[in-house]
PDB file of all heavy atoms in Angstrom:
ATOM      1  N   LEU A  12      90.643  86.668 123.387  1.00 39.00           N
ATOM      2  CA  LEU A  12      89.445  87.495 123.501  1.00 39.00           C
ATOM      3  C   LEU A  12      88.303  86.733 124.149  1.00 39.00           C
ATOM      4  O   LEU A  12      87.557  87.260 124.975  1.00 39.00           O
ATOM      5  CB  LEU A  12      89.025  87.977 122.107  1.00 39.00           C
ATOM      6  CG  LEU A  12      89.940  89.036 121.467  1.00 39.00           C
ATOM      7  CD1 LEU A  12      89.549  89.273 120.017  1.00 39.00           C
ATOM      8  CD2 LEU A  12      89.886  90.327 122.264  1.00 39.00           C
ATOM      9  N   ASN A  66      91.136  81.969 140.380  1.00 96.00           N
ATOM     10  CA  ASN A  66      92.195  81.918 139.384  1.00 96.00           C
ATOM     11  C   ASN A  66      91.862  82.901 138.269  1.00 96.00           C
ATOM     12  O   ASN A  66      90.791  82.819 137.661  1.00 96.00           O
ATOM     13  CB  ASN A  66      92.302  80.491 138.833  1.00 96.00           C
ATOM     14  CG  ASN A  66      93.504  80.289 137.926  1.00 96.00           C
ATOM     15  OD1 ASN A  66      94.139  81.251 137.501  1.00 96.00           O
ATOM     16  ND2 ASN A  66      93.807  79.038 137.627  1.00 96.00           N
ATOM     17  N   ILE A  87      91.812  92.881 141.614  1.00 97.00           N
ATOM     18  CA  ILE A  87      93.205  92.810 142.071  1.00 97.00           C
ATOM     19  C   ILE A  87      93.413  93.749 143.251  1.00 97.00           C
ATOM     20  O   ILE A  87      94.098  93.407 144.221  1.00 97.00           O
ATOM     21  CB  ILE A  87      94.166  93.143 140.904  1.00 97.00           C
ATOM     22  CG1 ILE A  87      94.177  91.985 139.893  1.00 97.00           C
ATOM     23  CG2 ILE A  87      95.572  93.430 141.417  1.00 97.00           C
ATOM     24  CD1 ILE A  87      94.994  92.255 138.642  1.00 97.00           C
ATOM     25  N   ASP A  89      91.069  94.768 145.316  1.00 96.00           N
ATOM     26  CA  ASP A  89      90.187  94.437 146.431  1.00 96.00           C
ATOM     27  C   ASP A  89      90.575  93.150 147.152  1.00 96.00           C
ATOM     28  O   ASP A  89      90.120  92.904 148.269  1.00 96.00           O
ATOM     29  CB  ASP A  89      88.740  94.291 145.926  1.00 96.00           C
ATOM     30  CG  ASP A  89      88.172  95.613 145.419  1.00 96.00           C
ATOM     31  OD1 ASP A  89      88.693  96.665 145.837  1.00 96.00           O
ATOM     32  OD2 ASP A  89      87.229  95.579 144.606  1.00 96.00           O
ATOM     33  N   LEU A  92      94.888  89.030 149.110  1.00 98.00           N
ATOM     34  CA  LEU A  92      96.230  88.649 148.688  1.00 98.00           C
ATOM     35  C   LEU A  92      96.193  88.336 147.198  1.00 98.00           C
ATOM     36  O   LEU A  92      95.241  87.710 146.716  1.00 98.00           O
ATOM     37  CB  LEU A  92      96.718  87.420 149.473  1.00 98.00           C
ATOM     38  CG  LEU A  92      98.052  86.797 149.023  1.00 98.00           C
ATOM     39  CD1 LEU A  92      99.207  87.785 149.217  1.00 98.00           C
ATOM     40  CD2 LEU A  92      98.323  85.501 149.778  1.00 98.00           C
ATOM     41  N   VAL A 115     100.954  91.123 148.338  1.00 98.00           N
ATOM     42  CA  VAL A 115     101.288  90.480 147.071  1.00 98.00           C
ATOM     43  C   VAL A 115     102.423  89.491 147.306  1.00 98.00           C
ATOM     44  O   VAL A 115     103.351  89.766 148.079  1.00 98.00           O
ATOM     45  CB  VAL A 115     101.734  91.523 146.015  1.00 98.00           C
ATOM     46  CG1 VAL A 115     102.182  90.839 144.734  1.00 98.00           C
ATOM     47  CG2 VAL A 115     100.624  92.508 145.728  1.00 98.00           C
ATOM     48  N   ALA A 119     108.355  84.904 141.467  1.00 95.00           N
ATOM     49  CA  ALA A 119     109.698  85.018 140.892  1.00 95.00           C
ATOM     50  C   ALA A 119     110.752  85.251 141.959  1.00 95.00           C
ATOM     51  O   ALA A 119     111.920  84.880 141.783  1.00 95.00           O
ATOM     52  CB  ALA A 119     109.730  86.150 139.871  1.00 95.00           C
ATOM     53  N   ALA A 122     111.281  81.568 143.608  1.00 93.00           N
ATOM     54  CA  ALA A 122     111.439  80.382 142.766  1.00 93.00           C
ATOM     55  C   ALA A 122     112.825  80.240 142.164  1.00 93.00           C
ATOM     56  O   ALA A 122     113.188  79.169 141.685  1.00 93.00           O
ATOM     57  CB  ALA A 122     110.396  80.404 141.646  1.00 93.00           C
ATOM     58  N   PRO A 128     117.557  76.869 131.972  1.00 85.00           N
ATOM     59  CA  PRO A 128     117.924  75.673 132.729  1.00 85.00           C
ATOM     60  C   PRO A 128     117.709  74.418 131.897  1.00 85.00           C
ATOM     61  O   PRO A 128     116.811  74.353 131.061  1.00 85.00           O
ATOM     62  CB  PRO A 128     116.952  75.708 133.914  1.00 85.00           C
ATOM     63  CG  PRO A 128     115.766  76.438 133.391  1.00 85.00           C
ATOM     64  CD  PRO A 128     116.324  77.480 132.456  1.00 85.00           C
ATOM     65  N   ALA A 132     124.604  73.206 127.248  1.00 39.00           N
ATOM     66  CA  ALA A 132     125.349  74.471 127.174  1.00 39.00           C
ATOM     67  C   ALA A 132     126.092  74.625 125.854  1.00 39.00           C
ATOM     68  O   ALA A 132     126.345  75.739 125.402  1.00 39.00           O
ATOM     69  CB  ALA A 132     126.340  74.553 128.341  1.00 39.00           C
ATOM     70  N   HIS A 151     115.770  81.226 120.534  1.00 39.00           N
ATOM     71  CA  HIS A 151     116.971  80.565 121.050  1.00 39.00           C
ATOM     72  C   HIS A 151     118.107  81.558 121.240  1.00 39.00           C
ATOM     73  O   HIS A 151     119.276  81.246 121.025  1.00 39.00           O
ATOM     74  CB  HIS A 151     117.408  79.448 120.094  1.00 39.00           C
ATOM     75  CG  HIS A 151     116.521  78.256 120.144  1.00 39.00           C
ATOM     76  ND1 HIS A 151     115.351  78.190 119.453  1.00 39.00           N
ATOM     77  CD2 HIS A 151     116.627  77.102 120.839  1.00 39.00           C
ATOM     78  CE1 HIS A 151     114.773  77.028 119.688  1.00 39.00           C
ATOM     79  NE2 HIS A 151     115.507  76.355 120.527  1.00 39.00           N
ATOM     80  N   ASP A 152     117.780  82.779 121.629  1.00 39.00           N
ATOM     81  CA  ASP A 152     118.809  83.806 121.795  1.00 39.00           C
ATOM     82  C   ASP A 152     119.393  83.796 123.200  1.00 39.00           C
ATOM     83  O   ASP A 152     120.232  84.599 123.519  1.00 39.00           O
ATOM     84  CB  ASP A 152     118.240  85.191 121.477  1.00 39.00           C
ATOM     85  CG  ASP A 152     117.082  85.577 122.393  1.00 39.00           C
ATOM     86  OD1 ASP A 152     116.594  84.699 123.138  1.00 39.00           O
ATOM     87  OD2 ASP A 152     116.689  86.752 122.371  1.00 39.00           O
ATOM     88  N   PRO A 164     109.411  70.430 141.468  1.00 97.00           N
ATOM     89  CA  PRO A 164     108.591  70.524 142.682  1.00 97.00           C
ATOM     90  C   PRO A 164     109.264  71.259 143.829  1.00 97.00           C
ATOM     91  O   PRO A 164     108.584  71.895 144.640  1.00 97.00           O
ATOM     92  CB  PRO A 164     108.335  69.053 143.046  1.00 97.00           C
ATOM     93  CG  PRO A 164     108.508  68.297 141.766  1.00 97.00           C
ATOM     94  CD  PRO A 164     109.570  69.035 141.008  1.00 97.00           C
ATOM     95  N   LEU A 178     100.179  85.228 153.986  1.00 98.00           N
ATOM     96  CA  LEU A 178      98.866  84.953 154.572  1.00 98.00           C
ATOM     97  C   LEU A 178      98.869  85.245 156.070  1.00 98.00           C
ATOM     98  O   LEU A 178      97.897  85.778 156.617  1.00 98.00           O
ATOM     99  CB  LEU A 178      98.465  83.493 154.326  1.00 98.00           C
ATOM    100  CG  LEU A 178      98.016  83.132 152.909  1.00 98.00           C
ATOM    101  CD1 LEU A 178      97.833  81.625 152.775  1.00 98.00           C
ATOM    102  CD2 LEU A 178      96.721  83.858 152.539  1.00 98.00           C
ATOM    103  N   VAL A 181      98.463  88.879 156.674  1.00 98.00           N
ATOM    104  CA  VAL A 181      97.080  89.327 156.496  1.00 98.00           C
ATOM    105  C   VAL A 181      96.201  88.851 157.653  1.00 98.00           C
ATOM    106  O   VAL A 181      95.331  89.577 158.129  1.00 98.00           O
ATOM    107  CB  VAL A 181      96.515  88.791 155.162  1.00 98.00           C
ATOM    108  CG1 VAL A 181      95.060  89.238 154.976  1.00 98.00           C
ATOM    109  CG2 VAL A 181      97.359  89.251 153.981  1.00 98.00           C
ATOM    110  N   ALA A 198     106.453  68.761 152.281  1.00 98.00           N
ATOM    111  CA  ALA A 198     106.653  67.322 152.465  1.00 98.00           C
ATOM    112  C   ALA A 198     106.105  66.543 151.267  1.00 98.00           C
ATOM    113  O   ALA A 198     106.745  65.595 150.778  1.00 98.00           O
ATOM    114  CB  ALA A 198     105.988  66.864 153.756  1.00 98.00           C
ATOM    115  N   THR A 221     111.338  68.677 123.073  1.00 97.00           N
ATOM    116  CA  THR A 221     110.012  69.223 123.367  1.00 97.00           C
ATOM    117  C   THR A 221     109.613  70.245 122.309  1.00 97.00           C
ATOM    118  O   THR A 221     110.474  70.813 121.623  1.00 97.00           O
ATOM    119  CB  THR A 221     110.006  69.899 124.746  1.00 97.00           C
ATOM    120  OG1 THR A 221     110.965  70.973 124.753  1.00 97.00           O
ATOM    121  CG2 THR A 221     110.352  68.903 125.839  1.00 97.00           C
ATOM    122  N   GLN A 277     100.159  71.360 117.902  1.00 91.00           N
ATOM    123  CA  GLN A 277     100.993  70.157 117.830  1.00 91.00           C
ATOM    124  C   GLN A 277     101.541  69.926 116.422  1.00 91.00           C
ATOM    125  O   GLN A 277     102.315  68.976 116.216  1.00 91.00           O
ATOM    126  CB  GLN A 277     100.176  68.940 118.254  1.00 91.00           C
ATOM    127  CG  GLN A 277      99.541  69.068 119.619  1.00 91.00           C
ATOM    128  CD  GLN A 277      98.503  67.993 119.890  1.00 91.00           C
ATOM    129  OE1 GLN A 277      98.418  67.003 119.165  1.00 91.00           O
ATOM    130  NE2 GLN A 277      97.698  68.194 120.923  1.00 91.00           N
ATOM    131  N   LYS A 278     101.149  70.767 115.475  1.00 93.00           N
ATOM    132  CA  LYS A 278     101.415  70.489 114.067  1.00 93.00           C
ATOM    133  C   LYS A 278     102.902  70.345 113.766  1.00 93.00           C
ATOM    134  O   LYS A 278     103.326  69.376 113.121  1.00 93.00           O
ATOM    135  CB  LYS A 278     100.800  71.593 113.199  1.00 93.00           C
ATOM    136  CG  LYS A 278     100.990  71.356 111.708  1.00 93.00           C
ATOM    137  CD  LYS A 278     100.335  72.462 110.884  1.00 93.00           C
ATOM    138  CE  LYS A 278     100.561  72.235 109.398  1.00 93.00           C
ATOM    139  NZ  LYS A 278      99.938  73.325 108.580  1.00 93.00           N
ATOM    140  N   ALA A 304      91.905  66.580 134.507  1.00 78.00           N
ATOM    141  CA  ALA A 304      92.907  66.334 135.548  1.00 78.00           C
ATOM    142  C   ALA A 304      92.390  66.806 136.898  1.00 78.00           C
ATOM    143  O   ALA A 304      91.554  67.707 136.976  1.00 78.00           O
ATOM    144  CB  ALA A 304      94.204  67.062 135.205  1.00 78.00           C
ATOM    145  N   ASP A 306      94.612  67.537 139.851  1.00 94.00           N
ATOM    146  CA  ASP A 306      95.461  68.545 140.472  1.00 94.00           C
ATOM    147  C   ASP A 306      96.894  68.451 139.953  1.00 94.00           C
ATOM    148  O   ASP A 306      97.219  67.615 139.098  1.00 94.00           O
ATOM    149  CB  ASP A 306      95.433  68.424 142.002  1.00 94.00           C
ATOM    150  CG  ASP A 306      95.964  67.096 142.527  1.00 94.00           C
ATOM    151  OD1 ASP A 306      96.632  66.359 141.767  1.00 94.00           O
ATOM    152  OD2 ASP A 306      95.717  66.780 143.707  1.00 94.00           O
ATOM    153  N   THR A 319     109.174  58.332 131.268  1.00 97.00           N
ATOM    154  CA  THR A 319     109.814  57.006 131.381  1.00 97.00           C
ATOM    155  C   THR A 319     109.474  56.120 130.178  1.00 97.00           C
ATOM    156  O   THR A 319     110.270  55.264 129.790  1.00 97.00           O
ATOM    157  CB  THR A 319     109.392  56.305 132.701  1.00 97.00           C
ATOM    158  OG1 THR A 319     107.962  56.282 132.776  1.00 97.00           O
ATOM    159  CG2 THR A 319     109.967  57.038 133.887  1.00 97.00           C
ATOM    160  N   GLY A 321     108.856  57.454 127.067  1.00 97.00           N
ATOM    161  CA  GLY A 321     109.303  58.070 125.832  1.00 97.00           C
ATOM    162  C   GLY A 321     110.795  58.350 125.716  1.00 97.00           C
ATOM    163  O   GLY A 321     111.325  58.448 124.615  1.00 97.00           O
ATOM    164  N   VAL A 323     114.904  57.679 126.027  1.00 95.00           N
ATOM    165  CA  VAL A 323     115.823  56.561 125.857  1.00 95.00           C
ATOM    166  C   VAL A 323     116.627  56.436 127.150  1.00 95.00           C
ATOM    167  O   VAL A 323     117.512  57.241 127.422  1.00 95.00           O
ATOM    168  CB  VAL A 323     116.748  56.777 124.653  1.00 95.00           C
ATOM    169  CG1 VAL A 323     117.731  55.622 124.532  1.00 95.00           C
ATOM    170  CG2 VAL A 323     115.937  56.922 123.379  1.00 95.00           C
TER     171      VAL A 323
END
Side-chain angles (χ1 to χ4, degrees):
L12 289 171
N66 188 347
I87 288 175
D89 294 338
L92 173 64
V115 176
H151 287 82
D152 61 350
L178 285 172
V181 179
T221 60
Q277 305 168 13
K278 182 179 179 181
D306 62 16
T319 53
V323 178

